[in-house]
Amino acid sequence: MAHQPRKRFGQNFLHDNMVIQNIIHAIYPQQGENFVEIGPGKGAITEPLLKAVGEIDVVELDRDLIPILHQNLDHLGTLRIHQSDALKFDFSTLVKDNQPFRVVGNLPYNISTPLLFHLISFLPHISDMHFMLQKEVVDRMAAKPNSKTYGRLSVMMQYHCRVERLFVVKPGSFFPPPKVDSAIVRLEPHATNPYNVVDEKIFAQIVTQCFSQRRKTLRNNLKKILTTEEIESLGINPGCRAETLEISQFVEIANQVSSLQ
Ligand code: SAH
């Protein structure tokens, strides 16, 4: 069955067997584990996963790929295709026997950040996640304070998960080749969250606010929320930039705001 890759669905299909093997090796799928794949495409990663575990749920937006997936993969195990937009998909419907599931995806790069935030709302159901993303996005997710790439995405991802950049994948491994390098990232939700956030909604808002103008000081970005004295009382210099703060310091600021409400 012929299928023209579609740009609007962010379609770059993996065809490099070495890379596919490396990804599967990193995921280390075991028989009987619950797997959910987002954007299976024509099944480059789905095929070895299905062989290893025997059944899989996939969420794919492009309805033209569905007959191709069935044709390529049905003989290998139980393939359940959910034709849907992953950004709106209720992943909690895939929980079986109260067991958390593992998430895998070579994600369309244009939706990767909103999709990561969407998945955060299902973290109690997720045991781990492996994604292929634009390398630059993986670098931002894994960045530490005092680096140019450290920002809202780093803080929010590392607040919820252990973030590990695994390896880089070059454009030539895909058809059509993307314009940028890609990287595989592993996300492991913290078994118990190491931070004591009073109100996660306020925490998320404060992180966004602190980075709203990267080059401005905390005092400036938080002007309407906390006074200079209130920031100082946390032992944080109001004249510094958000990119110098540890996650625990964002937590302190957020909890201070919560306590004032
Ligand atoms: N995993 C495959 C395909 C990667 S391309 C491979 O590695 O070869 C990205 C895939 O995500 C495509 O199949 C595309 O149709 C699908 N996709 C794009 N937007 C989506 C969305 N919002 N929800 C679910 N799938 C989506």
Side-chain angles (χ1 to χ4, degrees):
M1 262 179 265
H3 177 273
Q4 276 300 107
R6 290 204 179 89
K7 217 174 173 160
R8 75 187 160 101
F9 291 140
Q11 290 177 346
N12 302 99
F13 298 116
L14 250 182
H15 63 68
D16 184 328
N17 281 329
M18 269 309 277
V19 172
I20 295 170
Q21 265 182 40
N22 288 343
I23 295 172
I24 296 300
H25 190 75
I27 298 171
Y28 198 62
Q30 299 298 305
Q31 180 72 32
E33 283 178 339
N34 293 333
F35 268 92
V36 177
E37 187 187 359
I38 301 170
K42 291 191 261 189
I45 308 173
T46 329
E47 178 177 330
L49 278 179
L50 190 56
K51 275 187 187 154
V53 297
E55 57 179 290
I56 189 166
D57 286 274
V58 302
V59 180
E60 173 58 60
L61 182 58
D62 183 353
R63 60 179 77 240
D64 293 345
L65 287 170
I66 289 166
I68 300 178
L69 282 166
H70 278 306
Q71 188 182 46
N72 290 351
L73 305 177
D74 274 352
H75 62 287
L76 296 173
T78 307
L79 171 70
R80 285 181 291 268
I81 304 180
H82 308 269
Q83 196 261 313
S84 178
D85 181 350
L87 285 174
K88 299 186 186 134
F89 190 75
D90 179 359
F91 287 89
S92 66
T93 59
L94 302 182
V95 177
K96 289 174 211 78
D97 308 326
N98 252 327
Q99 292 297 312
F101 49 79
R102 306 183 68 190
V103 178
V104 173
N106 170 7
L107 300 183
Y109 298 158
N110 53 336
I111 65 161
S112 55
T113 307
L115 188 57
L116 290 168
F117 280 97
H118 181 59
L119 286 167
I120 280 180
S121 56
F122 300 101
L123 279 190
H125 303 303
I126 296 176
S127 50
D128 67 4
M129 301 184 266
H130 288 82
F131 294 123
M132 170 98 75
L133 296 167
Q134 193 174 330
K135 176 178 163 291
E136 186 232 308
V137 174
V138 172
D139 288 342
R140 284 200 278 132
M141 290 163 77
K144 295 292 172 203
N146 297 308
S147 64
K148 276 202 189 107
T149 45
Y150 183 70
R152 170 177 173 254
L153 192 64
S154 334
V155 175
M156 294 310 292
M157 288 299 136
Q158 294 170 39
Y159 167 73
H160 288 286
C161 302
R162 199 174 78 83
V163 179
E164 187 181 355
R165 185 179 120 170
L166 297 179
F167 53 88
V168 171
V169 182
K170 292 289 180 186
S173 299
F174 303 87
F175 182 80
K179 292 201 173 62
V180 292
D181 281 351
S182 306
I184 299 284
V185 65
R186 174 183 292 147
L187 300 171
E188 293 174 336
H190 300 305
T192 33
N193 195 293
Y195 307 102
N196 283 312
V197 167
V198 173
D199 183 330
E200 286 196 341
K201 219 169 164 175
I202 290 179
F203 173 68
Q205 286 166 353
I206 287 297
V207 174
T208 304
Q209 190 58 37
C210 287
F211 283 107
S212 59
Q213 303 198 60
R214 269 196 86 86
R215 307 192 57 80
K216 290 208 169 170
T217 61
L218 274 186
R219 183 196 293 122
N220 246 302
N221 281 333
L222 294 174
K223 198 159 53 201
K224 298 198 178 101
I225 303 166
L226 288 177
T227 63
T228 303
E229 292 71 33
E230 282 164 344
I231 302 173
E232 268 169 353
S233 74
L234 301 170
I236 297 171
N237 174 6
C240 74
R241 289 182 188 162
E243 68 200 36
T244 64
L245 297 187
E246 302 284 342
I247 296 175
S248 57
Q249 294 177 300
F250 290 101
V251 173
E252 284 174 31
I253 296 173
N255 285 350
Q256 167 94 325
V257 174
S258 301
S259 73
L260 295 171
Q261 286 193 338

